[in-house]
Amino acid sequence: RGDMKTAAGYVDAALSERPDSIEVLEMMVTLERSQKRLPEAVALAQRLVAAQPGNDRYLFVLGALQGETGDRAAALATVRRAIEINPDNAPALNFVGYSLAESGENLDEAEKLGDSELVHFLAVAQMLIEEKASTLSSGVPAFETVDTSWPN
């Protein structure tokens, strides 16, 4: 944990063995970003999007990285593509809403996205609670017949 130089060595070795591996590319994006090498992280995220153009999560990651580099226009365009693919992508909705609000642009749209993001956040929170309850209760005989899904 925390030894980024060793992690980079492992990830580089994995990438040389499997240059088209989506999982390795994901790790590389995370590693480059953690090292503050944003142009490299953006280039790798672009490879992820090229490999899976319909993946809204990869589009969001690319857009967020573009935003971190200061390319606000590209960031918003990319994240909006993620929302077109998945209108329930809460982080993407949040990103666009906050970006618009911070810049003072399209405040009506920003407010709408913010409200939508809150609804999605609550839905995701509910799902995570149900998942955690199921995990904690699995294998425990006393909970085998209990319905742990919300709102029960």
PDB file of all heavy atoms in Angstrom, residues 37-57:
ATOM      1  N   ARG A  37       0.056  12.856 -13.249  1.00  0.00           N
ATOM      2  CA  ARG A  37       0.439  12.874 -14.668  1.00  0.00           C
ATOM      3  C   ARG A  37      -0.856  12.864 -15.485  1.00  0.00           C
ATOM      4  O   ARG A  37      -1.247  11.853 -16.063  1.00  0.00           O
ATOM      5  CB  ARG A  37       1.344  11.681 -14.981  1.00  0.00           C
ATOM      6  CG  ARG A  37       2.684  11.758 -14.274  1.00  0.00           C
ATOM      7  CD  ARG A  37       3.686  10.743 -14.777  1.00  0.00           C
ATOM      8  NE  ARG A  37       3.296   9.379 -14.468  1.00  0.00           N
ATOM      9  CZ  ARG A  37       3.891   8.605 -13.572  1.00  0.00           C
ATOM     10  NH1 ARG A  37       4.918   9.070 -12.872  1.00  0.00           N
ATOM     11  NH2 ARG A  37       3.487   7.385 -13.362  1.00  0.00           N
ATOM     12  N   LEU A  38      -1.514  14.013 -15.470  1.00  0.00           N
ATOM     13  CA  LEU A  38      -2.843  14.108 -16.070  1.00  0.00           C
ATOM     14  C   LEU A  38      -2.859  13.914 -17.581  1.00  0.00           C
ATOM     15  O   LEU A  38      -3.757  13.231 -18.090  1.00  0.00           O
ATOM     16  CB  LEU A  38      -3.510  15.415 -15.662  1.00  0.00           C
ATOM     17  CG  LEU A  38      -3.788  15.547 -14.161  1.00  0.00           C
ATOM     18  CD1 LEU A  38      -4.397  16.897 -13.846  1.00  0.00           C
ATOM     19  CD2 LEU A  38      -4.670  14.419 -13.663  1.00  0.00           C
ATOM     20  N   PRO A  39      -1.914  14.455 -18.349  1.00  0.00           N
ATOM     21  CA  PRO A  39      -1.961  14.202 -19.799  1.00  0.00           C
ATOM     22  C   PRO A  39      -1.867  12.704 -20.132  1.00  0.00           C
ATOM     23  O   PRO A  39      -2.568  12.209 -21.018  1.00  0.00           O
ATOM     24  CB  PRO A  39      -0.751  14.971 -20.342  1.00  0.00           C
ATOM     25  CG  PRO A  39      -0.515  16.061 -19.341  1.00  0.00           C
ATOM     26  CD  PRO A  39      -0.873  15.441 -18.011  1.00  0.00           C
ATOM     27  N   GLU A  40      -1.030  11.989 -19.382  1.00  0.00           N
ATOM     28  CA  GLU A  40      -0.916  10.548 -19.594  1.00  0.00           C
ATOM     29  C   GLU A  40      -2.204   9.835 -19.198  1.00  0.00           C
ATOM     30  O   GLU A  40      -2.652   8.906 -19.884  1.00  0.00           O
ATOM     31  CB  GLU A  40       0.273   9.980 -18.795  1.00  0.00           C
ATOM     32  CG  GLU A  40       1.625  10.446 -19.265  1.00  0.00           C
ATOM     33  CD  GLU A  40       2.065  11.799 -18.689  1.00  0.00           C
ATOM     34  OE1 GLU A  40       1.256  12.485 -18.019  1.00  0.00           O
ATOM     35  OE2 GLU A  40       3.234  12.173 -18.923  1.00  0.00           O
ATOM     36  N   ALA A  41      -2.805  10.266 -18.088  1.00  0.00           N
ATOM     37  CA  ALA A  41      -4.068   9.667 -17.641  1.00  0.00           C
ATOM     38  C   ALA A  41      -5.168   9.914 -18.673  1.00  0.00           C
ATOM     39  O   ALA A  41      -5.957   9.011 -18.979  1.00  0.00           O
ATOM     40  CB  ALA A  41      -4.473  10.221 -16.276  1.00  0.00           C
ATOM     41  N   VAL A  42      -5.216  11.124 -19.236  1.00  0.00           N
ATOM     42  CA  VAL A  42      -6.209  11.439 -20.268  1.00  0.00           C
ATOM     43  C   VAL A  42      -6.005  10.549 -21.485  1.00  0.00           C
ATOM     44  O   VAL A  42      -6.964   9.984 -22.024  1.00  0.00           O
ATOM     45  CB  VAL A  42      -6.155  12.936 -20.665  1.00  0.00           C
ATOM     46  CG1 VAL A  42      -6.952  13.199 -21.934  1.00  0.00           C
ATOM     47  CG2 VAL A  42      -6.675  13.802 -19.528  1.00  0.00           C
ATOM     48  N   ALA A  43      -4.761  10.390 -21.930  1.00  0.00           N
ATOM     49  CA  ALA A  43      -4.478   9.554 -23.107  1.00  0.00           C
ATOM     50  C   ALA A  43      -4.914   8.109 -22.867  1.00  0.00           C
ATOM     51  O   ALA A  43      -5.497   7.472 -23.755  1.00  0.00           O
ATOM     52  CB  ALA A  43      -2.987   9.618 -23.452  1.00  0.00           C
ATOM     53  N   LEU A  44      -4.671   7.599 -21.679  1.00  0.00           N
ATOM     54  CA  LEU A  44      -5.084   6.228 -21.359  1.00  0.00           C
ATOM     55  C   LEU A  44      -6.609   6.128 -21.273  1.00  0.00           C
ATOM     56  O   LEU A  44      -7.194   5.147 -21.736  1.00  0.00           O
ATOM     57  CB  LEU A  44      -4.437   5.770 -20.054  1.00  0.00           C
ATOM     58  CG  LEU A  44      -2.927   5.521 -20.147  1.00  0.00           C
ATOM     59  CD1 LEU A  44      -2.313   5.459 -18.756  1.00  0.00           C
ATOM     60  CD2 LEU A  44      -2.637   4.241 -20.924  1.00  0.00           C
ATOM     61  N   ALA A  45      -7.246   7.128 -20.685  1.00  0.00           N
ATOM     62  CA  ALA A  45      -8.714   7.130 -20.613  1.00  0.00           C
ATOM     63  C   ALA A  45      -9.316   7.192 -22.018  1.00  0.00           C
ATOM     64  O   ALA A  45     -10.345   6.561 -22.284  1.00  0.00           O
ATOM     65  CB  ALA A  45      -9.204   8.284 -19.750  1.00  0.00           C
ATOM     66  N   GLN A  46      -8.666   7.920 -22.916  1.00  0.00           N
ATOM     67  CA  GLN A  46      -9.132   7.958 -24.308  1.00  0.00           C
ATOM     68  C   GLN A  46      -9.044   6.575 -24.946  1.00  0.00           C
ATOM     69  O   GLN A  46      -9.910   6.194 -25.733  1.00  0.00           O
ATOM     70  CB  GLN A  46      -8.329   8.980 -25.107  1.00  0.00           C
ATOM     71  CG  GLN A  46      -8.677  10.399 -24.747  1.00  0.00           C
ATOM     72  CD  GLN A  46      -7.728  11.425 -25.335  1.00  0.00           C
ATOM     73  OE1 GLN A  46      -6.551  11.148 -25.585  1.00  0.00           O
ATOM     74  NE2 GLN A  46      -8.232  12.637 -25.544  1.00  0.00           N
ATOM     75  N   ARG A  47      -8.017   5.821 -24.594  1.00  0.00           N
ATOM     76  CA  ARG A  47      -7.904   4.436 -25.090  1.00  0.00           C
ATOM     77  C   ARG A  47      -9.039   3.579 -24.556  1.00  0.00           C
ATOM     78  O   ARG A  47      -9.591   2.741 -25.277  1.00  0.00           O
ATOM     79  CB  ARG A  47      -6.547   3.836 -24.701  1.00  0.00           C
ATOM     80  CG  ARG A  47      -5.404   4.363 -25.529  1.00  0.00           C
ATOM     81  CD  ARG A  47      -4.063   3.811 -25.115  1.00  0.00           C
ATOM     82  NE  ARG A  47      -3.988   2.356 -25.145  1.00  0.00           N
ATOM     83  CZ  ARG A  47      -2.940   1.663 -24.691  1.00  0.00           C
ATOM     84  NH1 ARG A  47      -1.906   2.293 -24.161  1.00  0.00           N
ATOM     85  NH2 ARG A  47      -2.947   0.354 -24.740  1.00  0.00           N
ATOM     86  N   LEU A  48      -9.396   3.776 -23.283  1.00  0.00           N
ATOM     87  CA  LEU A  48     -10.524   3.035 -22.714  1.00  0.00           C
ATOM     88  C   LEU A  48     -11.814   3.350 -23.472  1.00  0.00           C
ATOM     89  O   LEU A  48     -12.573   2.451 -23.821  1.00  0.00           O
ATOM     90  CB  LEU A  48     -10.720   3.385 -21.234  1.00  0.00           C
ATOM     91  CG  LEU A  48      -9.798   2.729 -20.226  1.00  0.00           C
ATOM     92  CD1 LEU A  48     -10.023   3.333 -18.837  1.00  0.00           C
ATOM     93  CD2 LEU A  48     -10.005   1.227 -20.193  1.00  0.00           C
ATOM     94  N   VAL A  49     -12.046   4.635 -23.719  1.00  0.00           N
ATOM     95  CA  VAL A  49     -13.261   5.046 -24.426  1.00  0.00           C
ATOM     96  C   VAL A  49     -13.250   4.516 -25.852  1.00  0.00           C
ATOM     97  O   VAL A  49     -14.284   4.057 -26.359  1.00  0.00           O
ATOM     98  CB  VAL A  49     -13.418   6.582 -24.394  1.00  0.00           C
ATOM     99  CG1 VAL A  49     -14.519   7.048 -25.335  1.00  0.00           C
ATOM    100  CG2 VAL A  49     -13.708   7.045 -22.963  1.00  0.00           C
ATOM    101  N   ALA A  50     -12.095   4.524 -26.499  1.00  0.00           N
ATOM    102  CA  ALA A  50     -12.006   3.992 -27.872  1.00  0.00           C
ATOM    103  C   ALA A  50     -12.302   2.494 -27.888  1.00  0.00           C
ATOM    104  O   ALA A  50     -12.950   1.999 -28.811  1.00  0.00           O
ATOM    105  CB  ALA A  50     -10.620   4.270 -28.458  1.00  0.00           C
ATOM    106  N   ALA A  51     -11.858   1.794 -26.849  1.00  0.00           N
ATOM    107  CA  ALA A  51     -12.087   0.344 -26.784  1.00  0.00           C
ATOM    108  C   ALA A  51     -13.544   0.026 -26.463  1.00  0.00           C
ATOM    109  O   ALA A  51     -14.086  -0.982 -26.929  1.00  0.00           O
ATOM    110  CB  ALA A  51     -11.172  -0.289 -25.730  1.00  0.00           C
ATOM    111  N   GLN A  52     -14.186   0.881 -25.653  1.00  0.00           N
ATOM    112  CA  GLN A  52     -15.576   0.654 -25.254  1.00  0.00           C
ATOM    113  C   GLN A  52     -16.330   1.983 -25.286  1.00  0.00           C
ATOM    114  O   GLN A  52     -16.628   2.571 -24.238  1.00  0.00           O
ATOM    115  CB  GLN A  52     -15.634   0.026 -23.863  1.00  0.00           C
ATOM    116  CG  GLN A  52     -15.040  -1.359 -23.819  1.00  0.00           C
ATOM    117  CD  GLN A  52     -15.293  -2.059 -22.496  1.00  0.00           C
ATOM    118  OE1 GLN A  52     -15.994  -1.577 -21.625  1.00  0.00           O
ATOM    119  NE2 GLN A  52     -14.717  -3.234 -22.355  1.00  0.00           N
ATOM    120  N   PRO A  53     -16.654   2.459 -26.497  1.00  0.00           N
ATOM    121  CA  PRO A  53     -17.266   3.786 -26.632  1.00  0.00           C
ATOM    122  C   PRO A  53     -18.638   3.925 -25.979  1.00  0.00           C
ATOM    123  O   PRO A  53     -19.076   5.036 -25.700  1.00  0.00           O
ATOM    124  CB  PRO A  53     -17.351   3.996 -28.136  1.00  0.00           C
ATOM    125  CG  PRO A  53     -17.172   2.660 -28.751  1.00  0.00           C
ATOM    126  CD  PRO A  53     -16.432   1.807 -27.769  1.00  0.00           C
ATOM    127  N   GLY A  54     -19.307   2.834 -25.708  1.00  0.00           N
ATOM    128  CA  GLY A  54     -20.619   2.892 -25.072  1.00  0.00           C
ATOM    129  C   GLY A  54     -20.566   2.800 -23.562  1.00  0.00           C
ATOM    130  O   GLY A  54     -21.604   2.719 -22.906  1.00  0.00           O
ATOM    131  N   ASN A  55     -19.385   2.842 -22.984  1.00  0.00           N
ATOM    132  CA  ASN A  55     -19.232   2.715 -21.537  1.00  0.00           C
ATOM    133  C   ASN A  55     -19.304   4.097 -20.897  1.00  0.00           C
ATOM    134  O   ASN A  55     -18.363   4.892 -20.991  1.00  0.00           O
ATOM    135  CB  ASN A  55     -17.907   2.020 -21.217  1.00  0.00           C
ATOM    136  CG  ASN A  55     -17.757   1.691 -19.753  1.00  0.00           C
ATOM    137  OD1 ASN A  55     -18.003   2.523 -18.891  1.00  0.00           O
ATOM    138  ND2 ASN A  55     -17.340   0.474 -19.467  1.00  0.00           N
ATOM    139  N   ASP A  56     -20.418   4.393 -20.257  1.00  0.00           N
ATOM    140  CA  ASP A  56     -20.614   5.720 -19.669  1.00  0.00           C
ATOM    141  C   ASP A  56     -19.639   6.006 -18.530  1.00  0.00           C
ATOM    142  O   ASP A  56     -19.241   7.144 -18.309  1.00  0.00           O
ATOM    143  CB  ASP A  56     -22.057   5.906 -19.202  1.00  0.00           C
ATOM    144  CG  ASP A  56     -22.460   4.962 -18.097  1.00  0.00           C
ATOM    145  OD1 ASP A  56     -22.492   3.738 -18.330  1.00  0.00           O
ATOM    146  OD2 ASP A  56     -22.765   5.446 -16.992  1.00  0.00           O
ATOM    147  N   ARG A  57     -19.214   4.976 -17.831  1.00  0.00           N
ATOM    148  CA  ARG A  57     -18.261   5.181 -16.727  1.00  0.00           C
ATOM    149  C   ARG A  57     -16.911   5.647 -17.272  1.00  0.00           C
ATOM    150  O   ARG A  57     -16.297   6.562 -16.722  1.00  0.00           O
ATOM    151  CB  ARG A  57     -18.100   3.900 -15.914  1.00  0.00           C
ATOM    152  CG  ARG A  57     -17.262   4.073 -14.660  1.00  0.00           C
ATOM    153  CD  ARG A  57     -17.314   2.845 -13.771  1.00  0.00           C
ATOM    154  NE  ARG A  57     -16.785   1.654 -14.384  1.00  0.00           N
ATOM    155  CZ  ARG A  57     -15.495   1.282 -14.326  1.00  0.00           C
ATOM    156  NH1 ARG A  57     -14.634   2.023 -13.671  1.00  0.00           N
ATOM    157  NH2 ARG A  57     -15.091   0.169 -14.896  1.00  0.00           N
TER     158      ARG A  57
END
